[in-house]
Amino acid sequence: MRAYLPKPVSDDVLSEVMVAARLAPSGANLQPGVFVCVRGTVRQKLCQDLILAWREGRQEVEDYDYFPKPMPMTLRRRQVAAAQALYGALGVARDDRTGRDAQFERNFLFFDAPVALVVAMPYDFGAGGYMDLGMTLYGLMLAAQAKGLSTCAIGAMASYPSVIRHHVGLDADTKVVCGMALGYADPDAPVNQTRTTRSALDDYFKVLG
Ligand SMILES: Cc1cc2nc3c(=O)[nH]c(=O)nc-3n(C[C@H](O)[C@H](O)[C@H](O)COP(=O)(O)O)c2cc1C
């Protein structure tokens, strides 16, 4: 969900979601990753600087690779379909760069969700650590959903690790993984009418023998 009601999320509810998320399993129970909830002036200044970096077209080396480079055509098609679902719900045409940029910029505001989380990874974990943290992220999303809340993971945040490290007070060795918006979804917002599909079961589940 990428638009939220102004209704606040209580600290108790947020703590319950975080406690449930931390029940996720991890290799050797290392429980990698930290979640930092940014509020008040910290959030305001962070978002201001992220938007500035984005508007200036600043390029930073990201802390980890997300997508395959180059992107194979099968995956590119899925990426395009997801973008079409999003911009289609908003009524933003394919060639409307301004409309697309305006939506993209909202990533750096945590979509104005009442709760803004920065997800980071202290220590030099390999892919396994990211897999473990992904489980915690999904645990968080499901726990939130169970309480009537909605979420959106924000990989776009990983574009500006140094800006985030600076504002969130993370040390140089801590990797910036993503952001997370959390709150009560606005059911009437056009952006929340985005509907995606999934590939056929045969594409990712095989039975042999
Ligand atoms: C780790 C992760 C990072 C994501 N980053 C972004 C993002 O930066 N901006 C955004 O609008 N959506 C982001 N998404 C949402 C995906 O685009 C979305 O989950 C996908 O298109 C499937 O749609 P659905 O979750 O509505 O089914 C992210 C999702 C995940 C799991």
Side-chain angles (χ1 to χ4, degrees), residues 17-173:
V17 168
M18 298 315 300
V19 167
R22 262 317 195 202
L23 295 177
S26 57
N29 202 22
L30 295 190
Q31 306 160 67
V34 288
F35 295 78
V36 183
C37 180
V38 288
R39 290 179 171 162
T41 50
V42 174
R43 175 172 176 176
Q44 207 184 336
K45 287 181 179 168
L46 168 66
C47 291
Q48 254 171 19
D49 270 5
L50 286 170
I51 286 183
L52 189 67
W54 151 252
R55 286 190 182 166
E56 282 176 352
R58 220 180 294 161
Q59 299 282 326
E60 277 195 31
V61 178
E62 298 184 6
D63 288 344
Y64 68 105
D65 287 328
Y66 203 131
F67 299 129
K69 289 182 191 126
M71 184 86 92
M73 265 324 284
T74 39
L75 300 188
R76 175 78 189 129
R77 274 194 280 272
R78 291 180 191 171
Q79 186 182 35
V80 169
Q84 278 171 347
L86 173 62
Y87 297 116
L90 284 165
V92 170
R94 204 188 169 90
D95 56 355
D96 178 359
R97 186 65 199 254
T98 313
R100 285 174 168 243
D101 283 355
Q103 174 57 29
F104 196 79
E105 199 167 282
R106 296 195 48 72
N107 281 300
F108 301 118
L109 292 170
F110 296 89
F111 304 109
D112 289 322
V115 176
L117 299 169
V118 170
V119 185
M121 182 90 95
Y123 311 113
D124 200 9
F125 275 88
Y130 287 84
M131 180 162 65
D132 291 342
L133 182 54
M135 293 206 185
T136 309
L137 282 166
Y138 197 40
L140 187 164
M141 295 166 107
L142 292 178
Q145 194 78 29
K147 292 186 181 296
L149 291 155
S150 292
T151 54
C152 187
I154 311 174
M157 292 267 164
S159 305
Y160 300 112
S162 73
V163 175
I164 293 180
R165 264 193 286 276
H166 170 71
H167 284 281
V168 179
L170 301 171
D171 63 48
D173 295 333

